[in-house]
Amino acid sequence: MKLDAATVLSEFDAQVRRSLLPDGSGAVGERAGPVVRWMPSGGEGWSGVVWSDLDSGTADAVIADQVRFFAGRGEEFEWKLYSYDQPPDLGERLLAAGFVADDTEALMVADAGQIAGSAGADGALPDGVRRVRVTDEAGLDAVTEVHEGAFGAADPKLRSELSRQLRDSPDTLAVVVAMAGDEPVSTARVSFGAGTDFAGLWGGGTLPQWRGRGIYRALVGYRARLAVARGYRYLQVDALPESRSILERLGFACLAETTPYLWSPG
């Protein structure tokens, strides 16, 4: 089934970007005038602006307001910019305000049932590789190891955030690791937000020497089946180029591009 891109993108904006419902991460969302922003309720966590309703006459003042707000909290934050956001030069305005652009990703969406039943994502893993659900600290050790090996950098917040969510809101997240014997070789997770038709696929990464064997594809299919079992209609991924081509072959459609703009105190 081909997605109606305009309709699905409108649903994504309403149900995901503008939502203030708890997402299980412990963060708190709030509407601050023409933006929706999220921040940790306590301790470490992600902070950022995820939606905005701006024009050329209001953008600079609103950007300055958000910088002052997060500077007052002493927090780094991300402005998650989508390619259809207004005004058209919003990215340039963010750069002028001291933000730094990170890698652009593709917003990929697919019908969850179609992916769950796809022969291309049937969940088959290579011989000698098994799938393990992460439920404890040993599993998080494996996730951290694969993440660093797959993406070439450590994420100091990842482990603590996943540990907290699995402990406090286990129904909102599923984390899986593919193991070759005792070696973790791939990892991925899926988030189940409240009040939305979209299940989010995150953190899909495979060690370089294990790529090209269908592991990433199998973990997409596994997470799609989890999402369908919970009643979700869509799967959503922010995909880097390496993943985008695989997802397109599975049936995902690119609805937009998204670029994180990062601001740090000082």
Side-chain angles (χ1 to χ4, degrees):
M1 180 184 71
K2 186 175 181 179
L3 296 178
D4 181 327
T7 298
V8 176
L9 195 58
S10 177
E11 292 174 341
F12 176 76
D13 264 6
Q15 298 180 24
V16 178
R17 296 189 67 193
R18 285 186 283 169
S19 174
L20 299 178
L21 294 173
D23 63 358
S25 69
V28 175
E30 65 179 18
R31 180 73 180 262
V35 305
V36 171
R37 63 192 181 198
W38 285 76
M39 65 213 78
S41 58
E44 293 185 348
W46 183 87
S47 296
V49 172
V50 297
W51 176 85
S52 64
D53 182 17
L54 308 176
D55 58 37
S56 58
T58 61
D60 291 336
V62 173
I63 292 169
D65 285 343
Q66 298 312 306
V67 168
R68 280 192 293 270
F69 175 79
F70 285 104
R73 292 169 59 91
E75 291 178 0
E76 175 182 270
F77 78 105
E78 174 183 322
W79 192 299
K80 193 165 178 60
L81 176 66
Y82 288 79
S83 52
Y84 55 91
D85 288 344
Q86 298 298 314
D89 63 349
L90 183 53
E92 297 173 19
R93 293 170 185 262
L94 291 168
L95 293 174
F99 289 75
V100 176
D102 206 341
D103 293 334
T104 294
E105 299 172 317
L107 171 62
M108 310 289 291
V109 176
D111 179 277
Q114 178 179 333
I115 301 302
S118 168
D122 62 5
L125 290 164
D127 290 344
V129 178
R130 70 189 191 281
R131 188 178 59 237
V132 178
R133 280 284 291 269
V134 173
T135 59
D136 55 20
E137 294 301 313
L140 290 175
D141 287 342
V143 171
T144 303
E145 180 180 336
V146 172
H147 189 277
E148 185 170 353
F151 298 107
D155 183 346
K157 296 181 180 180
L158 178 65
R159 184 193 176 99
S160 61
E161 290 173 359
L162 293 181
S163 178
R164 181 171 59 250
Q165 189 166 354
L166 288 172
R167 181 189 67 237
D168 298 340
S169 306
D171 290 340
T172 66
L173 181 71
V175 186
V176 63
V177 174
M179 303 288 296
D182 294 329
E183 179 189 6
V185 299
S186 185
T187 185
R189 59 189 188 272
V190 52
S191 60
F192 305 111
T196 176
D197 293 320
F198 294 82
L201 305 189
W202 307 98
T206 303
L207 297 182
Q209 63 271 31
W210 284 89
R211 292 172 186 166
R213 307 191 198 188
I215 299 175
Y216 178 93
R217 184 175 64 245
L219 296 186
V220 170
Y222 171 71
R223 289 176 290 167
R225 289 187 289 279
L226 292 180
V228 169
R230 291 170 176 253
Y232 287 86
R233 292 177 60 197
Y234 303 115
L235 304 173
Q236 174 255 318
V237 187
D238 290 346
L240 290 167
E242 296 83 354
S243 302
R244 176 174 176 171
S245 59
I246 301 173
L247 295 169
E248 286 177 332
R249 289 195 295 271
L250 290 176
F252 282 75
C254 178
L255 302 189
E257 291 186 332
T258 179
T259 305
Y261 285 80
L262 307 176
W263 183 91
S264 298

